[in-house]
Amino acid sequence: MDKFNSDNFLKIYFDTEFSHLSKHGTLLSIGLVSDKGDHFYAEVGDLNYKYDLDSGYVLLNRDDVFINKFVKENVISNFLFNGYEKINIDHVENGTITMAVKDSFLTIHQKLNIWLNDINRFHWKVQFYSDCCYFDMMHLIDLITLHKTSMELPENISYIPVDLCTCLQNINIDPDCNREEFIKNYYNAHDISSDEIINRVMNRILNPMRSASNPIKVDDVTKLKHNSLYDAFIIKIAFDVFKYMNEIDK
């Protein structure tokens, strides 16, 4: 059996937000952060939201996307581009690429594949890392392939994601634990302020979008939980902590 070496992969940490937890859910937004410091963020901009107050789950029909109270109050409210009809930001700084878009699913599909190609300067094999991969990876494959299957992914992209929940459970940590608390517990033990790191780096990620002609307004990035770009960044830090913990145990 061949030995697997993840160091030979370009690692991309990602999160998606969607209308509800089922195979019929509609993608609402996506955020991706590469281990080289590149960022991609998108909101699907041509959706017609209908709010369903009472349902514990929601259904999708041909014309409308039904969302429940949680999605309305925690996901839609934390979009970066609320109030804008369309967004198209391409920013290159110090060799890293930030791309942000609010547009149709088709346009996001096209822009994401451009970003994936542009950031992979050395044509590495790509592997995706997520929090709880089951729905997120399904939506990501659907977006990259434009409603096809994992068999239609580009040859250099692995269809096998790495799942943080499973990694945590394997070291006897509750896979449903609060991710910020997991990060804080590690940094506090090393006398480092995780809030300061999150604020500093997340603000650096957001700055190219603030300086565009359509600036975003975020007063406190720690309140962006359930925004897909923020969550992708938190997932990356959590995997970094997990890696450090494993190295210490060896």
Side-chain angles (χ1 to χ4, degrees):
M1 183 178 295
D2 294 335
K3 187 175 181 179
F4 182 84
N5 186 355
S6 63
D7 291 337
N8 296 329
F9 283 73
L10 172 62
K11 300 176 180 64
I12 300 179
Y13 306 85
F14 81 103
D15 180 69
T16 65
E17 299 297 340
F18 38 88
S19 60
H20 56 284
L21 286 165
S22 88
K23 66 180 180 180
H24 301 298
T26 298
L27 180 70
L28 307 180
S29 72
I30 185 169
L32 303 98
V33 178
S34 83
D35 61 352
K36 307 299 181 185
D38 307 285
H39 310 99
F40 183 95
Y41 175 71
E43 297 171 7
V44 184
D46 56 355
L47 300 177
N48 185 27
Y49 295 118
K50 298 293 183 180
Y51 179 43
D52 188 341
L53 178 63
D54 299 320
S55 296
Y57 63 95
V58 289
L59 298 176
L60 173 70
N61 67 24
R62 287 180 94 180
D63 302 314
D64 303 319
V65 176
F66 284 87
I67 57 173
N68 59 20
K69 182 178 180 180
F70 179 87
V71 173
K72 181 182 181 183
E73 295 182 354
N74 295 278
V75 176
I76 306 297
S77 64
N78 275 343
F79 279 174
L80 298 181
F81 301 135
N82 283 327
Y84 297 102
E85 186 174 344
K86 288 191 176 183
I87 298 292
N88 184 11
I89 297 171
D90 293 299
H91 181 84
V92 180
E93 184 175 356
N94 298 324
T96 62
I97 300 172
T98 295
M99 190 176 289
V101 58
K102 181 175 183 179
D103 212 312
S104 67
F105 187 95
L106 175 60
T107 298
I108 296 170
H109 152 78
Q110 294 167 338
K111 297 286 285 185
L112 176 57
N113 278 285
I114 291 171
W115 181 82
L116 287 170
N117 182 69
D118 288 349
I119 69 169
N120 198 0
R121 304 160 184 85
F122 302 106
H123 307 288
W124 288 28
K125 186 84 171 177
V126 174
Q127 189 163 37
F128 291 104
Y129 287 65
S130 72
D131 188 283
C132 187
C133 68
Y134 313 108
F135 292 104
D136 295 283
M137 193 63 183
M138 176 185 70
H139 285 294
L140 179 60
I141 291 171
D142 192 53
L143 183 60
I144 292 174
T145 66
L146 197 60
H147 308 307
K148 295 178 183 177
T149 73
S150 60
M151 296 299 101
E152 278 71 45
L153 285 169
E155 286 187 7
N156 69 315
I157 293 181
S158 173
Y159 65 91
I160 302 172
V162 180
D163 177 66
L164 181 61
C165 290
T166 304
C167 292
L168 293 176
Q169 184 166 313
N170 283 342
I171 58 172
N172 299 316
I173 293 178
D174 180 4
D176 198 32
C177 69
N178 180 284
R179 300 310 188 233
E180 285 84 355
E181 289 302 317
F182 169 69
I183 293 167
K184 285 179 182 179
N185 288 340
Y186 174 82
Y187 280 107
N188 288 345
H190 294 78
D191 297 321
I192 301 170
S193 171
S194 61
D195 282 347
E196 182 180 339
I197 292 173
I198 291 171
N199 269 287
R200 184 177 71 250
V201 179
M202 191 66 199
N203 274 300
R204 191 164 68 236
I205 293 171
L206 294 176
N207 278 337
M209 304 178 203
R210 289 193 178 103
S211 61
S213 59
N214 39 331
I216 60 172
K217 296 179 177 64
V218 179
D219 297 324
D220 184 357
V221 298
T222 62
K223 295 180 180 178
L224 280 177
K225 187 177 177 66
H226 301 301
N227 171 275
S228 57
L229 183 59
Y230 172 83
D231 285 357
F233 172 63
I234 293 297
I235 290 166
K236 181 184 184 302
I237 296 180
F239 269 108
D240 287 343
V241 169
F242 173 78
K243 180 180 178 181
Y244 297 149
M245 291 172 65
N246 277 350
E247 288 175 350
I248 291 171
D249 290 340
K250 288 180 181 178

